[in-house]
Amino acid sequence: VVEWFLKHPNSGLLKRAVAVEGVHTKWLENHRVLIETLVADKRGEPGRADLGLGDAEARVRLRFHSADAPAGLTDIEIPLSNLCELQEPQVILMVENLDSFLALPTWPGVTIAWGAGYRAVDIVRAPYFSSGRLLYWGDLDLDGFKILDAVRSHVPHTESVLMNPETVSRW
């Protein structure tokens, strides 16, 4: 495996696409730190080497009211780079949790986005989320408020939903 990475220093492959005969793809996942250390040693570098692997493009899952659904699709998951192909929404309601995302009804003119916890911070960097009104509804716990703060650091006009002192006190 070390020899493979020395011969292919910038393959750009996803970790499960590395084809080393006799090595299961999950093996690399479980032994990545060891391989990074050994490759760095062979290259005469300190610490851990960059294996030159690629990362899957970040994706976002969206739900639409049937009146706004692109190509009639009311629930889609797409790479962030494809968001530019969609009509920019009037309002986006981003929720932290999948259960909330799936349970909410849809409304005309409102796109519901699953923030997937802390992934929300990467998702809202896409221009699609900065032009219109962005509402964020997360858990009433430390992580929920940290995510809200991080989202606002990229989209300052983000409005929180049910994340105010009254809601915290009541529930």
Side-chain angles (χ1 to χ4, degrees):
V1 175
V2 169
E3 292 302 320
W4 189 94
F5 281 106
L6 291 171
K7 289 179 185 173
H8 306 91
N10 296 301
S11 70
L13 294 173
L14 298 178
K15 62 184 174 273
R16 291 242 177 151
V18 173
V20 177
E21 188 174 341
V23 178
H24 192 282
T25 57
K26 289 183 183 179
W27 185 89
L28 179 57
E29 290 177 8
N30 295 325
H31 296 85
R32 186 170 181 160
V33 172
L34 172 64
I35 298 303
E36 290 170 343
T37 304
L38 292 173
V39 169
D41 182 65
K42 287 279 192 176
R43 291 179 183 161
E45 301 170 357
R48 294 168 36 190
D50 178 354
L51 299 179
L53 296 173
D55 291 315
E57 184 178 352
R59 303 175 70 83
V60 63
R61 188 165 172 189
L62 305 169
R63 290 185 53 228
F64 306 90
H65 186 272
S66 58
D68 306 315
L73 301 172
T74 58
D75 187 333
I76 64 172
E77 182 177 322
I78 63 172
L80 292 179
S81 64
N82 289 152
L83 285 171
C84 61
E85 304 297 325
L86 298 177
Q87 180 178 341
E88 290 187 2
Q90 298 169 4
V91 178
I92 298 173
L93 171 58
M94 179 176 275
V95 297
E96 181 178 345
N97 299 304
L98 181 59
D99 287 346
S100 301
F101 171 82
L102 295 172
L104 282 171
T106 58
W107 302 273
V110 177
T111 298
I112 302 172
W114 177 34
Y118 282 97
R119 279 193 24 222
V121 180
D122 296 323
I123 292 169
V124 298
R125 288 185 175 127
Y128 182 83
F129 292 91
S130 60
S131 60
R133 188 173 178 203
L134 178 60
L135 309 173
Y136 184 82
W137 179 30
D139 289 348
L140 294 176
D141 60 15
L142 182 60
D143 287 315
F145 287 104
K146 282 183 175 181
I147 296 166
L148 172 62
D149 183 58
V151 166
R152 281 185 173 151
S153 73
H154 295 286
V155 184
H157 64 269
T158 301
E159 303 169 54
S160 62
V161 176
L162 296 172
M163 296 182 76
N164 54 37
E166 297 81 24
T167 305
V168 172
S169 295
R170 181 172 178 199
W171 299 104

